[in-house]
Short mmCIF file of all heavy atoms in Angstrom, two decimals:
data_model
loop_
_atom_site.label_atom_id
_atom_site.label_comp_id
_atom_site.label_asym_id
_atom_site.label_seq_id
_atom_site.Cartn_x
_atom_site.Cartn_y
_atom_site.Cartn_z
N PRO A 84 17.00 5.82 -22.06
CA PRO A 84 16.83 5.66 -23.52
C PRO A 84 17.30 4.28 -24.00
O PRO A 84 16.63 3.63 -24.82
CB PRO A 84 17.70 6.78 -24.10
CG PRO A 84 17.72 7.82 -23.03
CD PRO A 84 17.71 7.06 -21.75
N TYR A 85 18.45 3.84 -23.51
CA TYR A 85 18.96 2.52 -23.88
C TYR A 85 18.01 1.43 -23.39
O TYR A 85 17.74 0.46 -24.13
CB TYR A 85 20.36 2.33 -23.28
CG TYR A 85 20.93 0.94 -23.43
CD1 TYR A 85 21.50 0.52 -24.60
CD2 TYR A 85 20.84 0.04 -22.35
CE1 TYR A 85 22.02 -0.75 -24.73
CE2 TYR A 85 21.36 -1.23 -22.46
CZ TYR A 85 21.93 -1.63 -23.66
OH TYR A 85 22.44 -2.88 -23.78
N TYR A 86 17.52 1.58 -22.16
CA TYR A 86 16.63 0.56 -21.58
C TYR A 86 15.35 0.44 -22.39
O TYR A 86 14.91 -0.67 -22.71
CB TYR A 86 16.31 0.95 -20.13
CG TYR A 86 15.64 -0.17 -19.35
CD1 TYR A 86 16.38 -1.00 -18.53
CD2 TYR A 86 14.26 -0.39 -19.43
CE1 TYR A 86 15.77 -2.02 -17.79
CE2 TYR A 86 13.64 -1.40 -18.73
CZ TYR A 86 14.41 -2.19 -17.91
OH TYR A 86 13.80 -3.21 -17.21
N TYR A 87 14.75 1.56 -22.73
CA TYR A 87 13.50 1.54 -23.50
C TYR A 87 13.71 0.87 -24.88
O TYR A 87 12.87 0.09 -25.32
CB TYR A 87 12.97 2.96 -23.69
CG TYR A 87 12.08 3.44 -22.58
CD1 TYR A 87 12.47 4.51 -21.78
CD2 TYR A 87 10.85 2.88 -22.37
CE1 TYR A 87 11.64 4.97 -20.78
CE2 TYR A 87 9.99 3.34 -21.36
CZ TYR A 87 10.40 4.38 -20.57
OH TYR A 87 9.56 4.85 -19.55
N MET A 88 14.82 1.20 -25.49
CA MET A 88 15.07 0.63 -26.83
C MET A 88 15.36 -0.87 -26.77
O MET A 88 14.94 -1.62 -27.65
CB MET A 88 16.20 1.38 -27.53
CG MET A 88 15.83 2.80 -27.92
SD MET A 88 17.10 3.59 -28.94
CE MET A 88 18.43 3.76 -27.75
N GLN A 89 16.09 -1.29 -25.75
CA GLN A 89 16.49 -2.71 -25.69
C GLN A 89 15.40 -3.59 -25.04
O GLN A 89 15.13 -4.70 -25.54
CB GLN A 89 17.80 -2.83 -24.89
CG GLN A 89 18.98 -2.14 -25.53
CD GLN A 89 19.32 -2.68 -26.89
OE1 GLN A 89 19.29 -3.91 -27.11
NE2 GLN A 89 19.68 -1.82 -27.83
N ALA A 90 14.81 -3.13 -23.97
CA ALA A 90 13.84 -3.96 -23.25
C ALA A 90 12.44 -3.92 -23.89
O ALA A 90 11.71 -4.91 -23.85
CB ALA A 90 13.73 -3.51 -21.79
N TYR A 91 12.11 -2.79 -24.53
CA TYR A 91 10.75 -2.64 -25.09
C TYR A 91 10.76 -2.38 -26.60
O TYR A 91 9.71 -2.14 -27.17
CB TYR A 91 10.01 -1.51 -24.38
CG TYR A 91 9.74 -1.81 -22.91
CD1 TYR A 91 10.47 -1.20 -21.91
CD2 TYR A 91 8.76 -2.76 -22.56
CE1 TYR A 91 10.24 -1.48 -20.59
CE2 TYR A 91 8.54 -3.04 -21.23
CZ TYR A 91 9.27 -2.42 -20.25
OH TYR A 91 9.03 -2.71 -18.92
N GLN A 92 11.93 -2.42 -27.23
CA GLN A 92 12.06 -2.26 -28.67
C GLN A 92 11.41 -0.97 -29.17
O GLN A 92 10.74 -0.96 -30.22
CB GLN A 92 11.50 -3.47 -29.43
CG GLN A 92 12.31 -4.73 -29.29
CD GLN A 92 12.11 -5.41 -27.92
OE1 GLN A 92 11.00 -5.60 -27.49
NE2 GLN A 92 13.21 -5.77 -27.27
N LEU A 93 11.55 0.12 -28.45
CA LEU A 93 11.04 1.40 -28.89
C LEU A 93 12.05 2.11 -29.79
O LEU A 93 13.26 1.82 -29.73
CB LEU A 93 10.71 2.31 -27.69
CG LEU A 93 9.65 1.78 -26.70
CD1 LEU A 93 9.41 2.84 -25.63
CD2 LEU A 93 8.35 1.43 -27.39
N SER A 94 11.57 3.04 -30.56
CA SER A 94 12.48 3.85 -31.37
C SER A 94 13.20 4.88 -30.50
O SER A 94 12.79 5.12 -29.36
CB SER A 94 11.70 4.56 -32.47
OG SER A 94 10.81 5.53 -31.91
N ILE A 95 14.24 5.47 -31.02
CA ILE A 95 15.01 6.45 -30.24
C ILE A 95 14.12 7.64 -29.88
O ILE A 95 14.24 8.19 -28.79
CB ILE A 95 16.26 6.89 -31.03
CG1 ILE A 95 17.08 7.89 -30.20
CG2 ILE A 95 15.87 7.50 -32.37
CD1 ILE A 95 17.65 7.34 -28.94
N LYS A 96 13.22 8.06 -30.77
CA LYS A 96 12.33 9.19 -30.48
C LYS A 96 11.37 8.86 -29.35
O LYS A 96 11.15 9.68 -28.45
CB LYS A 96 11.57 9.58 -31.74
CG LYS A 96 12.41 10.21 -32.83
CD LYS A 96 11.56 10.63 -34.01
CE LYS A 96 12.42 11.27 -35.10
NZ LYS A 96 11.58 11.69 -36.26
N GLN A 97 10.81 7.65 -29.39
CA GLN A 97 9.88 7.25 -28.31
C GLN A 97 10.63 7.13 -26.98
O GLN A 97 10.12 7.55 -25.94
CB GLN A 97 9.23 5.93 -28.68
CG GLN A 97 8.28 6.01 -29.85
CD GLN A 97 7.79 4.64 -30.30
OE1 GLN A 97 8.57 3.66 -30.30
NE2 GLN A 97 6.52 4.57 -30.67
N ALA A 98 11.83 6.53 -27.02
CA ALA A 98 12.61 6.37 -25.80
C ALA A 98 12.97 7.72 -25.20
O ALA A 98 12.89 7.92 -23.97
CB ALA A 98 13.85 5.55 -26.11
N MET A 99 13.36 8.67 -26.01
CA MET A 99 13.71 9.97 -25.52
C MET A 99 12.51 10.73 -24.98
O MET A 99 12.61 11.49 -24.00
CB MET A 99 14.40 10.80 -26.62
CG MET A 99 15.78 10.27 -27.01
SD MET A 99 16.92 10.21 -25.63
CE MET A 99 17.05 11.94 -25.20
N ALA A 100 11.35 10.52 -25.58
CA ALA A 100 10.14 11.17 -25.11
C ALA A 100 9.76 10.68 -23.71
O ALA A 100 9.42 11.45 -22.82
CB ALA A 100 8.98 10.93 -26.09
N PHE A 101 9.83 9.35 -23.49
CA PHE A 101 9.53 8.81 -22.18
C PHE A 101 10.55 9.29 -21.15
O PHE A 101 10.20 9.60 -20.00
CB PHE A 101 9.52 7.29 -22.23
CG PHE A 101 8.24 6.71 -22.76
CD1 PHE A 101 8.24 5.90 -23.89
CD2 PHE A 101 7.04 6.91 -22.10
CE1 PHE A 101 7.07 5.35 -24.38
CE2 PHE A 101 5.86 6.37 -22.56
CZ PHE A 101 5.87 5.59 -23.72
N THR A 102 11.83 9.36 -21.56
CA THR A 102 12.88 9.83 -20.64
C THR A 102 12.67 11.28 -20.27
O THR A 102 12.85 11.68 -19.12
CB THR A 102 14.26 9.64 -21.29
OG1 THR A 102 14.44 8.25 -21.63
CG2 THR A 102 15.37 10.05 -20.33
N LEU A 103 12.32 12.09 -21.27
CA LEU A 103 12.06 13.50 -21.00
C LEU A 103 10.90 13.69 -20.03
O LEU A 103 10.95 14.57 -19.16
CB LEU A 103 11.77 14.22 -22.31
CG LEU A 103 11.46 15.74 -22.21
CD1 LEU A 103 12.65 16.48 -21.62
CD2 LEU A 103 11.10 16.31 -23.56
N PHE A 104 9.89 12.87 -20.15
CA PHE A 104 8.75 12.95 -19.22
C PHE A 104 9.21 12.66 -17.80
O PHE A 104 8.85 13.35 -16.85
CB PHE A 104 7.69 11.93 -19.66
CG PHE A 104 6.54 11.81 -18.70
CD1 PHE A 104 5.59 12.84 -18.58
CD2 PHE A 104 6.38 10.67 -17.92
CE1 PHE A 104 4.54 12.72 -17.70
CE2 PHE A 104 5.34 10.55 -17.04
CZ PHE A 104 4.41 11.56 -16.94
N PHE A 105 10.07 11.65 -17.63
CA PHE A 105 10.60 11.31 -16.33
C PHE A 105 11.43 12.47 -15.75
O PHE A 105 11.26 12.86 -14.59
CB PHE A 105 11.45 10.04 -16.43
CG PHE A 105 12.35 9.79 -15.24
CD1 PHE A 105 11.82 9.29 -14.05
CD2 PHE A 105 13.69 10.07 -15.29
CE1 PHE A 105 12.63 9.05 -12.96
CE2 PHE A 105 14.52 9.84 -14.21
CZ PHE A 105 13.98 9.33 -13.04
N VAL A 106 12.32 13.02 -16.56
CA VAL A 106 13.23 14.06 -16.08
C VAL A 106 12.45 15.36 -15.75
O VAL A 106 12.70 15.97 -14.70
CB VAL A 106 14.29 14.38 -17.16
CG1 VAL A 106 15.14 15.58 -16.76
CG2 VAL A 106 15.17 13.13 -17.39
N ALA A 107 11.52 15.75 -16.61
CA ALA A 107 10.80 17.02 -16.42
C ALA A 107 9.98 16.98 -15.13
O ALA A 107 10.00 17.91 -14.32
CB ALA A 107 9.92 17.32 -17.60
N THR A 108 9.21 15.91 -14.93
CA THR A 108 8.35 15.83 -13.76
C THR A 108 9.17 15.75 -12.46
O THR A 108 8.81 16.38 -11.46
CB THR A 108 7.42 14.62 -13.85
OG1 THR A 108 8.19 13.43 -14.09
CG2 THR A 108 6.42 14.79 -14.99
N SER A 109 10.27 15.02 -12.49
CA SER A 109 11.11 14.90 -11.30
C SER A 109 11.77 16.21 -10.94
O SER A 109 11.98 16.51 -9.76
CB SER A 109 12.16 13.81 -11.51
OG SER A 109 12.95 13.63 -10.35
N SER A 110 12.12 17.00 -11.92
CA SER A 110 12.80 18.29 -11.67
C SER A 110 11.82 19.33 -11.17
O SER A 110 12.13 20.07 -10.23
CB SER A 110 13.49 18.78 -12.97
OG SER A 110 14.44 17.83 -13.41
N VAL A 111 10.62 19.42 -11.76
CA VAL A 111 9.68 20.45 -11.42
C VAL A 111 9.14 20.25 -10.00
O VAL A 111 8.88 21.21 -9.27
CB VAL A 111 8.51 20.47 -12.43
CG1 VAL A 111 7.38 21.38 -11.97
CG2 VAL A 111 9.02 20.91 -13.79
N ILE A 112 9.00 19.01 -9.57
CA ILE A 112 8.35 18.71 -8.29
C ILE A 112 9.25 19.05 -7.10
O ILE A 112 8.78 19.06 -5.95
CB ILE A 112 7.94 17.20 -8.24
CG1 ILE A 112 6.80 17.01 -7.22
CG2 ILE A 112 9.15 16.34 -7.88
CD1 ILE A 112 5.52 17.62 -7.59
N ARG A 113 10.52 19.33 -7.34
CA ARG A 113 11.45 19.55 -6.25
C ARG A 113 11.04 20.72 -5.36
O ARG A 113 11.22 20.68 -4.13
CB ARG A 113 12.87 19.80 -6.80
CG ARG A 113 13.92 19.99 -5.74
CD ARG A 113 15.31 19.96 -6.32
NE ARG A 113 16.32 20.16 -5.27
CZ ARG A 113 17.62 20.00 -5.44
NH1 ARG A 113 18.07 19.61 -6.62
NH2 ARG A 113 18.47 20.23 -4.47
N ALA A 114 10.49 21.78 -5.95
CA ALA A 114 10.04 22.92 -5.14
C ALA A 114 8.97 22.50 -4.14
O ALA A 114 8.98 22.91 -2.98
CB ALA A 114 9.55 24.02 -6.05
N LEU A 115 8.02 21.68 -4.60
CA LEU A 115 6.97 21.20 -3.69
C LEU A 115 7.57 20.32 -2.61
O LEU A 115 7.13 20.33 -1.46
CB LEU A 115 5.92 20.45 -4.49
CG LEU A 115 4.72 19.91 -3.71
CD1 LEU A 115 3.96 21.05 -3.04
CD2 LEU A 115 3.79 19.12 -4.61
N GLY A 116 8.60 19.53 -2.99
CA GLY A 116 9.28 18.72 -1.99
C GLY A 116 9.93 19.55 -0.88
O GLY A 116 9.91 19.18 0.27
N GLY A 117 10.45 20.72 -1.27
CA GLY A 117 11.01 21.61 -0.26
C GLY A 117 9.96 22.13 0.69
O GLY A 117 10.19 22.25 1.90
N TRP A 118 8.78 22.42 0.15
CA TRP A 118 7.68 22.88 1.02
C TRP A 118 7.27 21.79 2.00
O TRP A 118 7.05 22.07 3.20
CB TRP A 118 6.49 23.30 0.14
CG TRP A 118 5.33 23.80 0.93
CD1 TRP A 118 5.13 25.08 1.38
CD2 TRP A 118 4.18 23.04 1.38
NE1 TRP A 118 3.95 25.19 2.08
CE2 TRP A 118 3.33 23.95 2.09
CE3 TRP A 118 3.80 21.73 1.25
CZ2 TRP A 118 2.14 23.53 2.65
CZ3 TRP A 118 2.60 21.31 1.83
CH2 TRP A 118 1.79 22.21 2.52
N PHE A 119 7.18 20.56 1.53
CA PHE A 119 6.82 19.44 2.42
C PHE A 119 7.91 19.25 3.48
O PHE A 119 7.59 18.95 4.64
CB PHE A 119 6.63 18.16 1.61
CG PHE A 119 5.22 17.92 1.19
CD1 PHE A 119 4.74 18.50 0.03
CD2 PHE A 119 4.37 17.12 1.92
CE1 PHE A 119 3.42 18.29 -0.38
CE2 PHE A 119 3.05 16.89 1.53
CZ PHE A 119 2.57 17.48 0.38
N ALA A 120 9.19 19.39 3.08
CA ALA A 120 10.28 19.22 4.06
C ALA A 120 10.22 20.29 5.12
O ALA A 120 10.49 20.01 6.31
CB ALA A 120 11.60 19.24 3.32
N ASP A 121 9.89 21.53 4.75
CA ASP A 121 9.75 22.59 5.73
C ASP A 121 8.59 22.33 6.68
O ASP A 121 8.66 22.64 7.88
CB ASP A 121 9.51 23.93 5.03
CG ASP A 121 10.79 24.44 4.34
OD1 ASP A 121 11.89 24.05 4.77
OD2 ASP A 121 10.66 25.24 3.38
N LYS A 122 7.51 21.77 6.17
CA LYS A 122 6.31 21.58 6.98
C LYS A 122 6.38 20.34 7.85
O LYS A 122 5.95 20.38 9.03
CB LYS A 122 5.09 21.48 6.04
CG LYS A 122 3.73 21.40 6.76
CD LYS A 122 2.60 21.46 5.79
CE LYS A 122 1.24 21.36 6.50
NZ LYS A 122 1.03 22.51 7.42
N TYR A 123 6.91 19.24 7.30
CA TYR A 123 6.88 17.97 8.05
C TYR A 123 8.25 17.49 8.51
O TYR A 123 8.34 16.49 9.20
CB TYR A 123 6.25 16.89 7.17
CG TYR A 123 4.82 17.19 6.75
CD1 TYR A 123 4.53 17.60 5.47
CD2 TYR A 123 3.78 17.11 7.68
CE1 TYR A 123 3.22 17.90 5.10
CE2 TYR A 123 2.48 17.40 7.34
CZ TYR A 123 2.20 17.80 6.03
OH TYR A 123 0.91 18.11 5.66
N GLY A 124 9.31 18.18 8.10
CA GLY A 124 10.64 17.78 8.52
C GLY A 124 11.38 17.00 7.44
O GLY A 124 10.77 16.15 6.76
N GLY A 125 12.65 17.28 7.26
CA GLY A 125 13.44 16.63 6.21
C GLY A 125 13.54 15.14 6.36
O GLY A 125 13.39 14.40 5.40
N ARG A 126 13.75 14.69 7.58
CA ARG A 126 13.94 13.26 7.79
C ARG A 126 12.63 12.49 7.54
O ARG A 126 12.67 11.40 6.91
CB ARG A 126 14.43 12.98 9.20
CG ARG A 126 14.59 11.50 9.50
CD ARG A 126 15.14 11.29 10.90
NE ARG A 126 16.55 11.57 10.95
CZ ARG A 126 17.27 11.56 12.07
NH1 ARG A 126 16.66 11.32 13.23
NH2 ARG A 126 18.58 11.79 12.06
N SER A 127 11.50 13.03 7.94
CA SER A 127 10.22 12.36 7.71
C SER A 127 9.93 12.23 6.22
O SER A 127 9.48 11.18 5.75
CB SER A 127 9.10 13.13 8.40
OG SER A 127 9.28 13.20 9.80
N VAL A 128 10.20 13.30 5.48
CA VAL A 128 9.98 13.26 4.03
C VAL A 128 10.95 12.25 3.40
O VAL A 128 10.57 11.48 2.52
CB VAL A 128 10.15 14.64 3.41
CG1 VAL A 128 10.07 14.58 1.88
CG2 VAL A 128 9.07 15.61 3.94
N ASN A 129 12.18 12.26 3.86
CA ASN A 129 13.18 11.32 3.33
C ASN A 129 12.72 9.88 3.53
O ASN A 129 12.83 9.03 2.61
CB ASN A 129 14.51 11.52 4.01
CG ASN A 129 15.56 12.10 3.10
OD1 ASN A 129 15.43 12.07 1.88
ND2 ASN A 129 16.59 12.69 3.66
N TRP A 130 12.28 9.57 4.72
CA TRP A 130 11.87 8.19 5.02
C TRP A 130 10.68 7.78 4.16
O TRP A 130 10.63 6.65 3.65
CB TRP A 130 11.52 8.11 6.50
CG TRP A 130 11.24 6.72 7.01
CD1 TRP A 130 10.07 6.24 7.49
CD2 TRP A 130 12.18 5.63 7.09
NE1 TRP A 130 10.19 4.94 7.87
CE2 TRP A 130 11.48 4.53 7.65
CE3 TRP A 130 13.52 5.48 6.78
CZ2 TRP A 130 12.09 3.29 7.86
CZ3 TRP A 130 14.13 4.23 6.97
CH2 TRP A 130 13.41 3.18 7.52
N SER A 131 9.73 8.68 3.96
CA SER A 131 8.58 8.40 3.10
C SER A 131 9.01 8.18 1.66
O SER A 131 8.52 7.29 0.97
CB SER A 131 7.56 9.54 3.19
OG SER A 131 7.12 9.74 4.51
N VAL A 132 9.93 9.01 1.19
CA VAL A 132 10.47 8.90 -0.18
C VAL A 132 11.10 7.52 -0.38
O VAL A 132 10.88 6.85 -1.39
CB VAL A 132 11.47 10.02 -0.45
CG1 VAL A 132 12.36 9.68 -1.64
CG2 VAL A 132 10.75 11.33 -0.67
N PHE A 133 11.88 7.09 0.60
CA PHE A 133 12.56 5.80 0.48
C PHE A 133 11.55 4.66 0.38
O PHE A 133 11.73 3.70 -0.40
CB PHE A 133 13.50 5.58 1.68
CG PHE A 133 14.74 6.44 1.61
CD1 PHE A 133 15.53 6.61 2.75
CD2 PHE A 133 15.10 7.07 0.45
CE1 PHE A 133 16.68 7.39 2.70
CE2 PHE A 133 16.26 7.86 0.39
CZ PHE A 133 17.04 8.02 1.52
N TRP A 134 10.49 4.71 1.18
CA TRP A 134 9.49 3.63 1.14
C TRP A 134 8.77 3.58 -0.19
O TRP A 134 8.52 2.51 -0.74
CB TRP A 134 8.50 3.79 2.28
CG TRP A 134 8.91 3.07 3.53
CD1 TRP A 134 9.31 3.61 4.71
CD2 TRP A 134 8.97 1.66 3.71
NE1 TRP A 134 9.64 2.64 5.61
CE2 TRP A 134 9.43 1.41 5.02
CE3 TRP A 134 8.71 0.56 2.88
CZ2 TRP A 134 9.62 0.14 5.54
CZ3 TRP A 134 8.88 -0.72 3.41
CH2 TRP A 134 9.33 -0.93 4.71
N VAL A 135 8.42 4.75 -0.73
CA VAL A 135 7.76 4.80 -2.03
C VAL A 135 8.67 4.22 -3.11
O VAL A 135 8.23 3.39 -3.94
CB VAL A 135 7.35 6.25 -2.38
CG1 VAL A 135 6.89 6.35 -3.82
CG2 VAL A 135 6.26 6.74 -1.45
N CYS A 136 9.92 4.62 -3.11
CA CYS A 136 10.86 4.10 -4.11
C CYS A 136 11.11 2.61 -3.94
O CYS A 136 11.27 1.89 -4.93
CB CYS A 136 12.18 4.87 -4.03
SG CYS A 136 12.08 6.59 -4.58
N LEU A 137 11.13 2.15 -2.69
CA LEU A 137 11.38 0.73 -2.46
C LEU A 137 10.27 -0.13 -3.06
O LEU A 137 10.55 -1.15 -3.71
CB LEU A 137 11.45 0.45 -0.95
CG LEU A 137 11.96 -0.91 -0.54
CD1 LEU A 137 13.47 -1.01 -0.75
CD2 LEU A 137 11.62 -1.20 0.94
N VAL A 138 9.01 0.28 -2.89
CA VAL A 138 7.89 -0.47 -3.45
C VAL A 138 7.97 -0.47 -4.99
O VAL A 138 7.81 -1.51 -5.63
CB VAL A 138 6.56 0.11 -2.96
CG1 VAL A 138 5.39 -0.58 -3.68
CG2 VAL A 138 6.43 -0.08 -1.45
N CYS A 139 8.21 0.71 -5.57
CA CYS A 139 8.27 0.79 -7.03
C CYS A 139 9.43 -0.01 -7.60
O CYS A 139 9.28 -0.71 -8.62
CB CYS A 139 8.38 2.25 -7.47
SG CYS A 139 6.93 3.25 -7.11
N LEU A 140 10.58 0.05 -6.95
CA LEU A 140 11.76 -0.68 -7.43
C LEU A 140 11.56 -2.19 -7.32
O LEU A 140 12.14 -2.97 -8.09
CB LEU A 140 13.01 -0.25 -6.69
CG LEU A 140 13.56 1.13 -7.05
CD1 LEU A 140 14.69 1.52 -6.12
CD2 LEU A 140 14.06 1.12 -8.50
N PHE A 141 10.78 -2.61 -6.36
CA PHE A 141 10.50 -4.04 -6.23
C PHE A 141 9.83 -4.58 -7.51
O PHE A 141 10.22 -5.63 -8.02
CB PHE A 141 9.61 -4.31 -5.02
CG PHE A 141 9.15 -5.75 -4.90
CD1 PHE A 141 9.99 -6.70 -4.37
CD2 PHE A 141 7.88 -6.11 -5.35
CE1 PHE A 141 9.57 -8.02 -4.27
CE2 PHE A 141 7.46 -7.42 -5.24
CZ PHE A 141 8.29 -8.38 -4.70
N PHE A 142 8.87 -3.84 -8.02
CA PHE A 142 8.19 -4.29 -9.24
C PHE A 142 9.04 -4.08 -10.49
O PHE A 142 9.04 -4.89 -11.41
CB PHE A 142 6.86 -3.55 -9.40
CG PHE A 142 5.83 -3.91 -8.37
CD1 PHE A 142 5.57 -3.06 -7.30
CD2 PHE A 142 5.13 -5.11 -8.44
CE1 PHE A 142 4.63 -3.38 -6.33
CE2 PHE A 142 4.18 -5.45 -7.47
CZ PHE A 142 3.94 -4.59 -6.43
N LEU A 143 9.83 -3.00 -10.52
CA LEU A 143 10.69 -2.75 -11.66
C LEU A 143 11.81 -3.78 -11.74
O LEU A 143 12.35 -4.06 -12.82
CB LEU A 143 11.29 -1.35 -11.57
CG LEU A 143 10.33 -0.18 -11.78
CD1 LEU A 143 11.04 1.14 -11.59
CD2 LEU A 143 9.70 -0.25 -13.17
N SER A 144 12.21 -4.33 -10.58
CA SER A 144 13.29 -5.30 -10.57
C SER A 144 12.86 -6.67 -11.04
O SER A 144 13.72 -7.51 -11.38
CB SER A 144 13.87 -5.42 -9.14
OG SER A 144 14.34 -4.19 -8.68
N TYR A 145 11.58 -6.94 -11.09
CA TYR A 145 11.08 -8.27 -11.44
C TYR A 145 11.29 -8.52 -12.93
O TYR A 145 10.74 -7.82 -13.77
CB TYR A 145 9.60 -8.41 -11.09
CG TYR A 145 9.15 -9.85 -10.99
CD1 TYR A 145 9.35 -10.56 -9.81
CD2 TYR A 145 8.57 -10.50 -12.07
CE1 TYR A 145 8.95 -11.88 -9.70
CE2 TYR A 145 8.17 -11.82 -11.96
CZ TYR A 145 8.36 -12.50 -10.77
OH TYR A 145 7.97 -13.83 -10.67
N PRO A 146 12.08 -9.52 -13.29
CA PRO A 146 12.35 -9.78 -14.71
C PRO A 146 11.16 -10.47 -15.39
O PRO A 146 10.33 -11.09 -14.70
CB PRO A 146 13.56 -10.72 -14.67
CG PRO A 146 13.43 -11.43 -13.37
CD PRO A 146 12.81 -10.44 -12.42
#
Side-chain angles (χ1 to χ4, degrees):
Y85 172 81
Y86 192 97
Y87 273 114
M88 289 188 293
Q89 297 298 320
Y91 294 106
Q92 291 76 48
L93 299 183
S94 66
I95 181 64
K96 291 183 179 180
Q97 292 172 322
M99 291 303 297
F101 279 120
T102 303
L103 179 61
F104 175 71
F105 165 77
V106 173
T108 53
S109 182
S110 300
V111 170
I112 203 66
R113 181 169 179 170
L115 182 60
W118 181 85
F119 267 85
D121 287 336
K122 185 174 180 62
Y123 300 105
R126 177 177 284 174
S127 299
V128 174
N129 249 342
W130 187 245
S131 302
V132 162
F133 287 165
W134 270 110
V135 170
C136 290
L137 190 76
V138 173
C139 293
L140 286 173
F141 174 81
F142 292 103
L143 291 177
S144 301
Y145 199 83

